[in-house]
């Protein structure tokens, strides 16, 4: 399906997913090399959406495994349908009894039972969970293993065989190999470090917040009713807000919800009242709310920081205009560095007295 990187960008854009060339390159290579993709980045930047979009663009079914603490093989791979096994056993009770009609020895009875146990531990009684569904599918699918950082490290180890060879081992049945390798997308919100073994088996991709122009394109695409002026104002406010030291910075998904809310409220331009009334769509913690509320004027009217030539190498963009590399929040009062102050005091004393008077005198026996 993905024949070139350019075609990958076009096909994802046709599904309303705007991406840069770096992301498209990884998606293209994963398709050609049949390798899983491990996507890391903050929540709400489009990691899960990428798997959904690839499934739609390729016409494949999407199978999703949502990770959480305590996730094990029974919920990720398979489990036996015990109620069905018990029902069959009761129905076939008379038939089963005939197998033991001429058996008097207990050991012989167990051996007789063992020879027929594959009847009740067969694929007929197995409940396929997402990974086994993806491997057993007749047609290729897209498998999304979402937020793997929520699961324990033991679950990562369990995934290694599957990610390496697209196969899993069920003790009662044997090794099950994928009929058609699935397109695997693994996401992580970076709440903990993942193992090197897992990363080695995947193509790695980090998705951060988009630049100003791309975020503006995303808003105009996803919220078609928003005006150009309001969209630009919204992006400016969001970018300034992200530069604050917030526990949870507004993501793309929250930005889109906010933009949609502004359209529903018939807002034509942002002002202090509108921002205060809709702040809960962007901010999720009380501490962040207080911090943002104290800077509403700066969020709405603050000037973007333009670096000097010495700070950025070049302060001018392609069109000869200053290039803002990001908004700068109101500066906090700098805290004194005790170690730096002590070093400066020693340096001053050494220059004034000809030696460091703050250093203890050397003993008489030392030169």
């Amino acid at each position: 399906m993905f024949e070139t990187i350019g075609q990958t960008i076009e096909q994802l854009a046709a599904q309303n997913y705007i991406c840069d060339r770096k992301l498209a390159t990884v998606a293209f290579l994963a398709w050609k090399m049949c390798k899983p993709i491990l996507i890391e980045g903050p929540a709400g930047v489009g990691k899960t959406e990428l798997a959904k979009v690839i499934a739609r663009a390729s016409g494949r079914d999407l199978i999703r495994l949502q990770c959480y603490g305590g996730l094990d093989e029974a919920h990720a791979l398979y489990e036996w349908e015990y109620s069905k096994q018990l029902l069959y056993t009761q129905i076939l009770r008379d038939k089963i009894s005939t197998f033991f009609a001429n058996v008097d020895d207990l050991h012989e009875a167990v051996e007789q039972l063992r020879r027929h146990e594959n009847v009740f531990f067969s694929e007929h009684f197995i409940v396929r969970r997402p990974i086994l569904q993806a491997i057993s599918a007749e047609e290729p699918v897209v498998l999304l293993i979402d937020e793997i950082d929520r699961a324990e490290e033991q679950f990562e180890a369990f995934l290694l065989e599957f990610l390496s060879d697209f196969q899993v081992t069920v003790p009662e049945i044997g090794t099950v190999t994928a009929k058609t390798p699935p397109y695997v997308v693994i996401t992580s919100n970076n709440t903990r470090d993942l193992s090197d073994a897992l990363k080695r088996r995947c193509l790695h991709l980090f998705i951060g917040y988009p630049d100003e122009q791309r975020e503006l394109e995303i808003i105009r695409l996803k919220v078609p009713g928003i005006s150009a002026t309001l969209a630009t104002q919204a992006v400016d406010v969001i970018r300034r807000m992200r530069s604050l030291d917030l526990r949870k910075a507004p993501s793309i998904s929250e930005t889109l919800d906010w933009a949609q809310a502004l359209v529903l409220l018939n807002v034509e331009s942002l002002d202090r009242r509108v921002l205060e009334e809709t702040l809960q769509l962007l901010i999720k913690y009380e501490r962040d709310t207080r911090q943002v509320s104290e800077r509403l004027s700066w969020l709405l009217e603050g000037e973007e920081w333009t670096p000097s030539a010495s700070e950025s190498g070049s302060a001018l963009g392609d069109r000869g205009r200053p290039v803002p590399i990001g908004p700068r929040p109101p500066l906090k009062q700098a805290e004194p560095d005790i170690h730096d102050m002590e070093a400066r005091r020693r340096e001053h004393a050494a220059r004034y007295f000809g030696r460091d008077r703050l250093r203890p005198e050397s003993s008489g026996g030392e030169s």
Side-chain angles (χ1 to χ4, degrees), residues 240-249 287-289 291-292 295 298 329-330 332:
R240 293 190 186 105
M241 202 173 290
R242 285 179 188 149
S243 68
L244 298 174
D245 182 24
L246 301 179
R247 180 177 175 184
K248 170 71 174 68
R287 182 181 73 88
D288 293 349
T289 301
Q291 187 180 171
V292 170
R295 295 168 170 81
W298 173 75
K332 297 180 180 179

Side-chain angles (χ1 to χ4, degrees), residues 156-209:
E156 284 185 43
F158 158 73
L159 285 179
L160 297 182
E161 179 189 8
F162 167 68
L163 296 177
S164 296
D165 305 316
F166 292 118
Q167 67 178 31
V168 294
T169 300
V170 179
E172 297 86 351
I173 296 178
T175 300
V176 182
T177 304
K179 298 176 180 177
T180 55
Y183 189 101
V184 181
V185 177
I186 306 172
T187 72
S188 167
N189 291 335
N190 273 340
T191 57
R192 66 172 178 84
D193 290 335
L194 302 178
S195 67
D196 292 342
L198 179 73
K199 291 186 176 183
R200 192 170 62 248
R201 287 163 170 79
C202 305
L203 300 181
H204 184 264
L205 174 67
F206 181 86
I207 299 181
Y209 298 117

Side-chain angles (χ1 to χ4, degrees), residues 117-137:
E117 66 181 7
N118 60 346
V119 174
F120 292 98
F121 288 98
S122 63
E123 294 191 3
H124 185 68
F125 294 99
I126 203 169
V127 179
R128 289 176 172 79
R129 298 306 185 189
I131 292 179
L132 191 55
Q133 288 177 18
I135 287 181
S136 307

Side-chain angles (χ1 to χ4, degrees), residues 306-321:
T306 301
S308 64
S310 60
E311 290 174 310
S312 65
S314 173
L316 298 179
D318 297 337
R319 299 179 182 178
R321 298 191 309 183

Side-chain angles (χ1 to χ4, degrees), residues 209-312:
Y209 298 117
D211 58 30
E212 181 178 359
Q213 184 59 39
R214 193 153 64 91
E215 188 157 28
L216 191 58
E217 292 178 13
I218 292 171
I219 291 179
R220 297 297 302 276
L221 179 67
K222 298 286 188 178
V223 189
I226 195 169
S227 66
T229 302
L230 183 59
T232 302
Q233 280 185 308
V235 170
D236 288 343
V237 169
I238 290 295
R239 285 174 59 78
R240 293 190 186 105
M241 202 173 290
R242 285 179 188 149
S243 68
L244 298 174
D245 182 24
L246 301 179
R247 180 177 175 184
K248 170 71 174 68
S251 64
I252 298 175
S253 61
E254 287 152 345
T255 302
L256 293 175
D257 289 342
W258 185 48
Q260 185 65 46
L262 295 177
V263 172
L264 292 174
L265 295 172
N266 297 318
V267 174
E268 296 181 355
S269 65
L270 289 177
D271 55 29
R272 188 183 184 92
R273 181 185 61 79
V274 170
L275 187 54
E276 283 180 329
E277 291 177 352
T278 58
L279 199 58
Q280 66 275 8
L281 276 75
L282 300 171
I283 304 301
K284 308 300 181 184
Y285 294 94
E286 180 61 25
R287 182 181 73 88
D288 293 349
T289 301
R290 288 197 302 271
Q291 187 180 171
V292 170
S293 298
E294 294 170 356
R295 295 168 170 81
L296 289 181
S297 298
W298 173 75
L299 289 171
L300 289 167
E301 303 168 6
E303 295 292 333
E304 287 194 334
W305 174 44
T306 301
S308 64
S310 60
E311 290 174 310
S312 65

Side-chain angles (χ1 to χ4, degrees), residues 86-106:
L86 180 61
L87 177 63
Y88 274 59
T89 303
Q90 292 176 341
I91 293 175
L92 299 175
R93 184 174 55 240
D94 295 339
K95 184 67 176 177
I96 294 173
S97 298
T98 61
F99 284 94
F100 303 97
N102 300 322
V103 177
D104 298 326
D105 182 69
L106 184 58

